[in-house]
Amino acid sequence: MMPEHPRSRPLPTTLPAVFLAALLAGCVTVEKEPDPIVGAKRIFASAQQVTGNLKGLSGADSLCGAWAQAAALGGSWKAFLSTSGVNAKDRINDVGPWYNVNQTTLLFNNKTGFTVGAQSAIRTEYGGSASGNAWTGTKANGTADMVNCSNWTQGGGSAYASVGSPSITLDDGPGWMAKGGNAPACSTPARVYCIEQ
């Protein structure tokens, strides 16, 4: 008995037969992911959610560095946070454009873009989706709004802080850093934005 010819087997049912035949004949191309932009600066919303006691701005910067190191990202990072004496937008060097950690998905062309809105949802340092809130203490123009967990040193009591949402994009403007509404209590865990410098 002769072996069955490979072409006589039924086509897999996971793809329509016409598409599969066209693919095998070279008539259909499958789009591949764009190549990462080497050296592109990145932003992430921390996968870990923490209370508002970040041990000040220097403590938040250290957390960003540690999270980036754990995800094997390398680079130098700053937390996007305002205090009573510092505007979040002024802490960040204008070295954009900035991308998600995949270095293919554009988020902001430059610092001016911060107040326009994120071009895509901001993802975690591991590339996962990031829902919920991110601490900022920042108004929609990137300046301090004075609601900041006692300058990021208080994680309980009656303190509050302003937040943004990593899932908010251009349709809702700068809601990624200032989504409005009631400021959550500092004891409620939220993410931290980390921006590569």
Side-chain angles (χ1 to χ4, degrees):
M1 182 169 150
M2 292 190 61
E4 182 184 0
H5 191 279
R7 296 255 184 213
S8 67
R9 293 186 186 132
L11 292 169
T13 57
T14 54
L15 291 174
V18 173
F19 176 82
L20 185 59
L23 183 63
L24 293 172
C27 299
V28 175
T29 57
V30 177
E31 220 174 285
K32 73 174 195 102
E33 285 285 318
D35 291 328
I37 298 169
V38 177
K41 299 296 186 184
R42 300 157 291 180
I43 294 178
F44 65 83
S46 63
Q48 184 175 343
Q49 298 188 52
V50 292
T51 70
N53 185 3
L54 304 171
K55 307 212 180 322
L57 293 177
S58 61
D61 291 344
S62 294
L63 282 173
C64 283
W67 290 326
Q69 183 178 7
L73 297 181
S76 175
W77 301 82
K78 277 191 179 175
F80 187 85
L81 296 168
S82 293
T83 64
S84 55
V86 178
N87 298 321
K89 68 173 187 168
D90 297 333
R91 301 192 74 229
I92 306 303
N93 297 322
D94 203 351
V95 294
W98 286 280
Y99 293 76
N100 271 321
V101 294
N102 63 8
Q103 295 181 305
T104 62
T105 306
L106 180 66
L107 295 172
F108 305 100
N109 285 310
N110 48 40
K111 278 174 52 171
T112 301
F114 290 174
T115 58
V116 176
Q119 296 189 34
S120 185
I122 299 172
R123 300 185 75 83
T124 72
E125 64 269 35
Y126 299 101
S129 61
S131 59
N133 294 325
W135 298 120
T136 64
T138 303
K139 297 178 187 175
N141 64 1
T143 62
D145 72 358
M146 307 309 210
V147 185
N148 54 34
C149 297
S150 301
N151 291 323
W152 310 111
T153 62
Q154 191 168 346
S158 59
Y160 296 85
S162 301
V163 294
S165 175
S167 59
I168 291 180
T169 56
L170 285 172
D171 291 342
D172 293 306
W176 74 276
M177 67 173 162
K179 75 175 199 175
N182 293 329
C186 296
S187 58
T188 306
R191 302 179 193 277
V192 177
Y193 291 125
C194 300
I195 302 185
E196 190 173 15
Q197 299 297 282

